Amino acid sequence: MRQKGNKFGKRMYAVMLACMVAVCSLTGGKITVEAADVDIASYERLDELYGEYFKFGAACEAISHWNDPGKEIGNPAKEELLSTVFNSITCGNEMKPAYNFDAQAESLFKIDPAATEMLEWAKANDMGMRGHTLLWHSQVDPSIFAKDYIALSNGKQTWTDSAQLDEECLVDRDELLRRMKTYIYSMMEYTYKEGYAKTIYAWDVVNEAADENQDDGFRKSYWYQIIGPDFLYYAFLYAREAETLYAVQYADLYGLNAETDDLSAIMPKLFYNDYNEWFDNKSDAIINFLTREKWNENHAKVQSDVIKPDGDGTIYGDGLLDGIGMQGHLTDTQDIEQYRKALQKYSAVVDEVQITELDVGCSKTDDNTWLFQAKFYYDFFSMLIEEVKNGAKLTSVTVWGLTDDASWRVDANPLLFFGNLERKPAFDAVVMAAKGEEFTMTLQDTLGDVEDMLITFEPYVEAGKAVSIEPKDVGIIGRGTGHQAKLKLAQKINHTEGAAIGFSLQVSRQEQDASMKLNISRYAGKNVTITAYVMTEDQKIRMGMETSESTQLLEADAVPGDWAELSVNYTIPEDVPAAFLYLETDGKADFYVDDISVVINEDGAPITENTDAGENVESSANSDGAKAENADGAATKDAGNGNGTAASDNADSVSGSTGIFGTPAVVAVIVIAAGAVGAAWYVKKKSKEG
């Protein structure tokens, strides 16, 4: 959508109508975007590209479990994306003990209907599934640890998995072992008798039992406190016994003869799963208690048909464990070599390694965000391919989620797809790695479709309430070498036509070179028309471009008590790492900025070439615009949040949401405040923490 004029009032309503079609909601800093008209069928199939190396999966959840339409199973478009790109899924939550344990049932088990829905979907779409998880200290009903299944904390009943339980309410070791065995057997039998034994190809039997800061390397969970550290051995023993028993019992359901056929196809591999396993002290602890600690030396403690007769008493040596799961919650600054070393380390001691929960958070907040993330994904998957070729026992990789907007790390934008199901540069980088192609992405490649921009500083509607824009949310930060200017919204000092109250950006400073700048790096390589309206008591207003150096584009006379229009055509160099538009004056009085627009000139040659300072200047009082009620700029009332927004202390830092501009996540926000209707093109960053 382009606006080529210098006045926007008559165009606002046309903008609004278009916005209403594509508008998305911004809640709590989380970007949610309606599905774009994307051709999912044209996406490369990661499962096929990586087929000779490992399975390629994604974690997902069911709408029915959370009553959340943003989840995947039950959402046709997201289901199509899953089945097109991947050949494996993991239930993000639905198969965890918290949702399948039933203290009132003799089996201690009642399947979560959402888990059944997901198993059915996986089976119908010929998708493998990783079962996650049978045993965990978190997301577990604490009543499993308590006498009469009544968990007490400070004498009061609790259902909280993190509660500190009263010692007198806890069951003894033998009872908890019985309950553990009952639950594991019940969950496993359900998957066999309902026909899912071929669908589930792996189980995370125990999740996150390690604590490298403890002397023995174990987390002091209630499994540990009541049973002891050998709870780990028993968990794997019961899982192996259950699948061995039910594979025989239900073999004919899968067209197999229990006496003559190989039943391995209906016997999922058993994994231990944990996080931060690439750190040496944690990997040492995990390897020790899985492969070296003799929990059942000489099989004197417990005997079973599933224990290898010549086993050494360790979990792995007794044939109870198949592999280790590495979660892989990373950032794009992670040391890949450290991860490589851990992969090699685990491959040397077990039969299989699976990356179970991979996502890569963005460390940048500027327009390089997607470039850095894509490069990391490319390097990471190139490393995995190289390691598999060199003998690493990697058999599956699962990204922990499908789209950024639904990620548990929503603030870090860690996944391969935007919320509207568009491919991210990270996805294309993973494809490039699989094909052995050189990484050749540039900043422009990762920006996506760059659109015109108009910033009016008018509020937008969120959850039925008018919310003020913060300068950082539109990529505006402080500029200068000393004390930074204070950037905040000024109410009733306004240029935007049709605004009932009206807002502008107030730049307050004590030094002449303290001013503001706007990140427009996304327009690198494009010829643009940049327009802004400025009002100040100073004499001169300057507009310039800051890349690796600062270039003044024009200087205009200020208009006493009114708005001066500054407009210039400029081709932003394509090879610059960042580009900022700056505005400043020749003095140190406050100045006000409104209706900043950047319009891409796509119709051949630019209107004018880049000019020397002082040329190509348009400067005028806008007689149609709303004049300031207080022309001298004094005693203005802060808008919205009252305190305004302080500029960055570091003039060279890039803050705000500029990394999102120009991607498919660009959104149009309808502004409705005090009965007035206007529009502001801007993006709000994902600011929700953790």
Side-chain angles (χ1 to χ4, degrees), residues 211-484:
D211 182 349
E212 65 274 27
N213 296 314
Q214 300 295 326
D215 290 341
D216 62 357
F218 274 95
R219 181 188 300 276
K220 300 305 184 279
S221 67
Y222 282 106
W223 298 109
Y224 178 99
Q225 292 182 44
I226 296 171
I227 298 173
D230 60 345
F231 84 89
L232 199 66
Y233 184 93
Y234 283 94
F236 280 95
L237 172 65
Y238 297 150
R240 185 69 88 202
E241 286 180 340
E243 69 170 2
T244 302
L245 172 66
Y246 299 128
V248 172
Q249 185 173 333
Y250 294 99
D252 59 346
L253 187 62
Y254 301 91
L256 298 172
N257 186 311
E259 295 182 0
T260 61
D261 291 338
D262 178 6
L263 302 184
S264 60
I266 56 172
M267 295 184 68
K269 300 296 180 67
L270 304 183
F271 282 77
Y272 173 80
N273 190 52
D274 216 319
Y275 64 95
N276 287 353
E277 305 100 311
W278 46 91
F279 296 120
D280 282 340
N281 51 355
K282 191 156 191 174
S283 61
D284 288 344
I286 291 171
I287 289 173
N288 179 64
F289 61 58
L290 293 178
T291 69
R292 295 172 184 163
E293 188 73 32
K294 297 183 184 299
W295 305 109
N296 191 23
E297 190 168 10
N298 298 321
H299 302 160
K301 183 180 292 186
V302 59
Q303 296 182 6
S304 172
D305 291 342
V306 303
I307 296 174
K308 288 183 177 180
D310 58 349
D312 60 5
T314 67
I315 297 172
Y316 177 73
D318 279 358
L320 308 180
L321 170 80
D322 295 303
I324 294 174
M326 302 177 67
Q327 289 189 12
H329 299 297
L330 310 174
T331 66
D332 58 19
T333 59
Q334 180 73 39
D335 181 358
I336 291 177
E337 291 307 306
Q338 188 179 39
Y339 202 98
R340 182 201 299 267
K341 179 181 177 182
L343 176 59
Q344 294 171 342
K345 196 171 179 179
Y346 293 130
S347 293
V349 297
V350 294
D351 295 335
E352 295 188 28
V353 180
Q354 295 185 353
I355 296 174
T356 58
E357 303 181 24
L358 177 66
D359 50 26
V360 180
C362 296
S363 64
K364 309 297 179 184
T365 58
D366 61 8
D367 286 311
N368 288 306
T369 297
W370 310 130
L371 184 63
F372 275 79
Q373 184 186 51
K375 183 60 164 62
F376 183 92
Y377 266 110
Y378 175 86
D379 290 342
F380 187 80
F381 276 91
S382 296
M383 178 273 289
L384 295 183
I385 291 171
E386 180 182 352
E387 286 306 308
V388 171
K389 289 180 177 179
N390 290 335
K393 298 173 183 176
L394 184 64
T395 58
S396 176
V397 174
T398 299
V399 288
W400 198 248
L402 187 65
T403 56
D404 281 345
D405 62 319
S407 168
W408 76 297
R409 300 173 68 194
V410 63
D411 58 305
N413 303 309
L415 298 171
L416 301 179
F417 299 95
F418 293 111
N420 63 355
L421 310 189
E422 287 274 9
R423 306 187 323 267
K424 289 175 64 178
F427 176 87
D428 293 333
V430 173
V431 170
M432 292 167 62
K435 293 181 176 180
E437 298 174 351
E438 181 182 354
F439 184 85
T440 56
M441 287 186 187
T442 65
L443 178 60
Q444 280 300 303
D445 293 329
T446 63
L447 288 179
D449 295 329
V450 183
E451 299 185 4
D452 297 346
M453 177 175 65
L454 168 63
I455 304 173
T456 68
F457 301 103
E458 299 307 305
Y460 62 94
V461 173
E462 178 176 293
K465 297 180 180 180
V467 180
S468 296
I469 292 173
E470 296 184 8
K472 65 179 181 179
D473 286 336
V474 292
I476 293 175
I477 60 175
R479 179 177 183 267
T481 58
H483 294 291
Q484 295 297 290

Side-chain angles (χ1 to χ4, degrees), residues 58-79:
C60 54
E61 297 177 83
I63 291 174
S64 60
H65 184 85
W66 304 101
N67 194 27
D68 181 353
K71 301 303 182 184
E72 293 79 23
I73 302 304
N75 181 320
K78 290 189 173 183
E79 288 180 355

Side-chain angles (χ1 to χ4, degrees), residues 1-22:
M1 187 180 303
R2 300 179 59 196
Q3 296 185 11
K4 293 188 176 181
N6 293 321
K7 297 179 181 178
F8 309 107
K10 293 182 180 180
R11 297 180 177 87
M12 289 295 188
Y13 295 97
V15 172
M16 282 189 314
L17 293 175
C19 291
M20 289 178 182
V21 177

Side-chain angles (χ1 to χ4, degrees), residues 27-139:
T27 55
K30 173 182 175 181
I31 299 177
T32 55
V33 187
E34 291 184 3
D37 184 17
V38 296
D39 182 12
I40 292 173
S42 68
Y43 288 0
E44 297 269 13
R45 296 195 59 124
L46 297 182
D47 59 340
E48 293 181 354
L49 289 173
Y50 285 88
E52 65 179 293
Y53 305 116
F54 42 74
K55 287 182 180 292
F56 209 127
C60 54
E61 297 177 83
I63 291 174
S64 60
H65 184 85
W66 304 101
N67 194 27
D68 181 353
K71 301 303 182 184
E72 293 79 23
I73 302 304
N75 181 320
K78 290 189 173 183
E79 288 180 355
E80 181 187 359
L81 181 55
L82 282 167
S83 61
T84 298
V85 174
F86 304 102
N87 61 358
S88 169
I89 65 169
T90 301
C91 294
N93 282 283
E94 289 80 352
M95 295 187 76
K96 291 175 180 175
Y99 310 111
N100 296 279
F101 175 77
D102 183 1
Q104 303 305 313
E106 183 177 350
S107 64
L108 300 182
F109 172 81
K110 182 180 180 180
I111 192 68
D112 181 347
T116 299
E117 179 185 359
M118 297 182 74
L119 283 162
E120 280 294 317
W121 184 85
K123 183 179 179 181
N125 287 274
D126 196 26
M127 299 278 280
M129 178 185 281
R130 298 193 78 261
H132 181 75
T133 173
L134 292 174
L135 212 69
W136 195 17
H137 69 277
S138 183
Q139 287 184 269

Side-chain angles (χ1 to χ4, degrees), residues 404-625:
D404 281 345
D405 62 319
S407 168
W408 76 297
R409 300 173 68 194
V410 63
D411 58 305
N413 303 309
L415 298 171
L416 301 179
F417 299 95
F418 293 111
N420 63 355
L421 310 189
E422 287 274 9
R423 306 187 323 267
K424 289 175 64 178
F427 176 87
D428 293 333
V430 173
V431 170
M432 292 167 62
K435 293 181 176 180
E437 298 174 351
E438 181 182 354
F439 184 85
T440 56
M441 287 186 187
T442 65
L443 178 60
Q444 280 300 303
D445 293 329
T446 63
L447 288 179
D449 295 329
V450 183
E451 299 185 4
D452 297 346
M453 177 175 65
L454 168 63
I455 304 173
T456 68
F457 301 103
E458 299 307 305
Y460 62 94
V461 173
E462 178 176 293
K465 297 180 180 180
V467 180
S468 296
I469 292 173
E470 296 184 8
K472 65 179 181 179
D473 286 336
V474 292
I476 293 175
I477 60 175
R479 179 177 183 267
T481 58
H483 294 291
Q484 295 297 290
K486 292 184 178 180
L487 308 179
K488 60 183 180 180
L489 297 187
Q491 183 176 324
K492 296 187 179 181
I493 296 183
N494 169 61
H495 173 266
T496 307
E497 288 187 66
I501 300 175
F503 297 90
S504 63
L505 176 70
Q506 181 178 358
V507 183
S508 302
R509 67 264 177 81
Q510 296 179 339
E511 299 179 16
Q512 186 275 326
D513 73 341
S515 61
M516 56 78 68
K517 60 183 180 180
L518 168 66
N519 191 328
I520 57 173
S521 304
R522 57 201 158 280
Y523 298 102
K526 295 186 179 295
N527 179 267
V528 293
T529 297
I530 304 170
T531 304
Y533 294 84
V534 180
M535 183 169 64
T536 182
E537 290 183 310
D538 290 332
Q539 300 299 308
K540 298 289 184 180
I541 306 167
R542 303 184 183 108
M543 175 184 284
M545 190 66 56
E546 184 178 287
T547 53
S548 54
E549 58 185 22
S550 296
T551 303
Q552 181 174 307
L553 300 181
L554 60 84
E555 182 178 89
D557 292 329
V559 180
D562 214 333
W563 296 93
E565 177 186 359
L566 288 80
S567 187
V568 66
N569 293 99
Y570 184 73
T571 299
I572 300 174
E574 186 171 8
D575 58 350
V576 295
F580 291 86
L581 170 73
Y582 70 82
L583 294 166
E584 63 181 16
T585 68
D586 63 343
K588 56 183 180 179
D590 287 4
F591 66 90
Y592 301 84
V593 183
D594 206 355
D595 293 335
I596 305 173
S597 68
V598 181
V599 177
I600 301 169
N601 298 314
E602 297 175 335
D603 304 326
I607 299 171
T608 60
E609 297 298 329
N610 296 344
T611 60
D612 295 330
E615 297 181 6
N616 191 34
V617 178
E618 296 182 36
S619 176
S620 64
N622 180 8
S623 59
D624 296 329

